[in-house]
Amino acid sequence: MSTRSPTPWVCAQLGSREHYAVPRVLRRSGRLRLLLTDYWTSPRGGATRLAPGREAAKAAQRFHPDLVDATVEHVGTRRLVFELWARVTRRTGWDTVLRRNALFQRVMLERIRRNHESLLSESPGVFFAYSYAALGLLRKFKEAGWKTILGQIDPGVREEEIVAAELARRPDLPSRWKRAPEHYWRAWREECDTCDRIMVNSEWSREALAQVGIAEGKIDVVPLAFETPTMNTPRTLPTRFDHTRPLRVLFLGQLTVRKGVHLAIEAARTMRSLPVHWTFVGPGDVDLPADLLSAPFIRWSGAVSREETARLYRESDVFLLPTLSDGFALTQLEARACGLPVLASRFCGDVVRAGENGMIVDPLDTSGIVRVTTELVRSPERVAAMSRIGPADERFSLEALEARLVEMEERLSRP
């Protein structure tokens, strides 16, 4: 009795998004035939000889042991040369993003033509690629008869509209945010039209895409996958928050209007007399107002190392995510893995179970943040109770992701 071979999949992704979760689960089920990415540094290749610098350091970390035997094509040194060129010529912003996305697709199409045309001519499989750097590749696999899935990383143009509306409402905000050029969104619309299915990570993303005319029947909601690490030590919390031991609120990610950092800053100013310490960490397009630069109750920092990030999670009491729009926000799961209650808006992944492992910021404004934070300052026992809720949630497991991908594969195979 013969057994049917698993359907072949090819995955394309810039960066180590979701710690390579999609190709990893496909690899372990025997489905992954090829991974297309920007950097890949296999330990079997010995020491990595790369030019010094931040980009080289980033490249040297791009690898996952679950994919040690996978077939991988990557941009490699051509990407490094591009980044050096961008730095020397001072190319920044959307111009660099568009050129980087185009380089990735161009190199990957070259590698497919040179090394993998036989794969395309075999029994058609499934091609998966993340949005904004996928159009040329989607067309290539579609022409070869493969089914195609677009992994939509955010709520698309609707998210841009939300940020633009917030800045129009708040012209006082000193943001460096800029809209994407029109041709960026035209190419994205073509990606959506070309692919067979669109995979989003949250109900909010599905809703946002539908609001701008993407057919809801084409969209599948598949939450992010996250491997919950084992916590080494239990969290210790005080029985009372005061100025010698304040409530420690962590805002970690992008310090941007989209993430609602301006709302958190205003909440911190409003609550300056209460025992709350606010830590803001990450790159962004908003600066801390001058009157708060030396405030003892605020720490403001740029991007930090993974080790420092882990320490910040351990040393904080709650995690704040008042985002105006997010495809999911993996930081929620990272925070929960460290036992932090999450204070989040509704416009992201559905992680928070209100009152159990966190609270919903509603209304999504300064008053909403002040309300939930003040409640926790006055009720440290609630912080302790929410911290004790285990971080494990099967909805966000690798097994759940694999099951959802197989479901999508089966749906695509139907006439």
Side-chain angles (χ1 to χ4, degrees):
M1 180 178 176
S2 61
T3 58
R4 181 174 175 268
S5 298
T7 299
W9 283 60
V10 172
C11 293
Q13 68 173 81
L14 271 165
S16 55
R17 177 168 294 277
E18 301 165 42
H19 307 293
Y20 303 104
V22 170
R24 285 167 58 204
V25 299
L26 293 171
R27 178 64 177 168
R28 71 184 189 182
S29 67
R31 287 174 164 80
L32 183 69
R33 295 291 297 276
L34 178 63
L35 170 62
L36 310 174
T37 191
D38 53 348
Y39 295 130
W40 193 251
T41 307
S42 171
R44 294 181 300 171
T48 305
R49 294 180 175 84
L50 294 170
R54 179 177 169 185
E55 198 67 25
K58 182 196 300 181
Q61 297 174 6
R62 293 288 177 80
F63 175 74
H64 198 286
D66 289 356
L67 297 168
V68 66
D69 294 321
T71 301
V72 180
E73 292 284 2
H74 63 108
V75 180
T77 55
R78 290 175 69 174
R79 168 71 186 273
L80 286 170
V81 170
F82 170 83
E83 298 300 335
L84 177 61
W85 168 84
R87 186 170 60 193
V88 170
T89 58
R90 298 184 179 181
R91 301 271 184 171
T92 59
W94 284 110
D95 178 66
T96 301
V97 170
L98 292 167
R99 289 173 182 268
R100 185 183 293 120
N101 291 350
L103 172 68
F104 172 68
Q105 293 186 80
R106 185 168 64 251
V107 174
M108 291 302 99
L109 287 169
E110 291 172 2
R111 299 286 172 78
I112 291 168
R113 283 192 291 267
R114 188 167 67 228
N115 302 326
H116 304 285
E117 284 290 354
S118 60
L119 172 61
L120 267 70
S121 62
E122 294 174 8
S123 298
V126 180
F127 174 66
F128 173 91
Y130 287 105
S131 53
Y132 308 118
L135 183 55
L137 292 163
L138 287 169
R139 289 170 173 166
K140 176 72 174 178
F141 281 86
K142 190 86 169 179
E143 290 169 1
W146 285 51
K147 299 299 183 180
T148 55
I149 299 173
L150 180 69
Q152 182 60 37
I153 65 176
D154 57 27
V157 71
R158 179 71 184 110
E159 185 168 273
E160 182 179 76
E161 294 171 353
I162 289 168
V163 176
E166 180 72 359
L167 287 169
R169 186 181 71 85
R170 294 288 308 275
D172 57 306
L173 292 177
S175 172
R176 295 180 293 277
W177 178 83
K178 293 183 179 179
R179 281 183 178 270
E182 288 187 13
H183 57 277
Y184 178 83
W185 294 119
R186 283 199 300 271
W188 172 69
R189 292 277 188 178
E190 288 190 56
E191 287 180 344
C192 294
D193 291 341
T194 301
C195 69
D196 294 297
R197 304 295 300 175
I198 300 172
M199 187 178 94
V200 299
N201 301 130
S202 63
E203 285 294 335
W204 160 240
S205 284
R206 180 196 60 75
E207 178 185 333
L209 264 60
Q211 288 175 3
V212 295
I214 305 301
E216 288 191 73
K218 196 175 187 176
I219 303 172
D220 293 288
V221 179
V222 180
L224 295 188
F226 182 75
E227 293 171 291
T228 303
T230 301
M231 294 177 63
N232 296 325
T233 56
R235 299 184 60 76
T236 56
L237 291 160
T239 57
R240 178 173 180 268
F241 292 117
D242 55 32
H243 288 288
T244 61
R245 175 52 172 94
L247 177 72
R248 299 165 181 166
V249 178
L250 176 63
F251 187 115
L252 185 148
Q254 296 176 344
L255 306 183
T256 63
V257 170
R258 177 176 68 82
K259 289 282 192 176
V261 70
H262 59 299
L263 303 176
I265 292 170
E266 291 165 358
R269 179 184 282 113
T270 301
M271 300 177 67
R272 65 191 309 155
S273 63
L274 295 179
V276 183
H277 186 274
W278 308 75
T279 297
F280 297 88
V281 178
D285 57 28
V286 173
D287 296 322
L288 187 66
D291 66 303
L292 295 177
L293 287 175
S294 59
F297 55 89
I298 290 181
R299 174 193 170 184
W300 186 273
S301 171
V304 298
S305 66
R306 290 182 182 177
E307 293 76 15
E308 176 69 1
T309 296
R311 186 186 68 79
L312 289 168
Y313 278 129
R314 290 195 303 269
E315 295 181 357
S316 300
D317 298 323
V318 297
F319 183 76
L320 178 61
L321 180 73
T323 182
L324 305 186
S325 178
D326 244 298
F328 187 90
L330 185 64
T331 49
Q332 295 183 92
L333 298 182
E334 293 175 349
R336 287 297 307 129
C338 294
L340 295 186
V342 175
L343 313 180
S345 77
R346 298 184 183 279
F347 306 108
C348 56
D350 183 21
V351 173
V352 173
R353 298 190 298 273
E356 293 184 32
N357 63 358
M359 301 173 73
I360 298 297
V361 178
D362 186 25
L364 181 54
D365 56 20
T366 300
S367 70
I369 298 174
V370 170
R371 178 185 64 80
V372 295
T373 308
T374 301
E375 284 183 25
L376 297 184
V377 170
R378 294 171 177 168
S379 306
E381 68 279 3
R382 292 188 65 188
V383 181
M386 291 189 288
S387 296
R388 286 194 293 268
I389 299 296
D393 192 323
E394 290 304 311
R395 295 176 298 165
F396 312 120
S397 67
L398 289 173
E399 291 73 21
L401 172 62
E402 182 175 353
R404 296 302 300 274
L405 292 175
V406 172
E407 287 176 11
M408 293 181 71
E409 174 191 303
E410 292 174 349
R411 192 177 300 116
L412 287 168
S413 68
R414 296 170 191 157

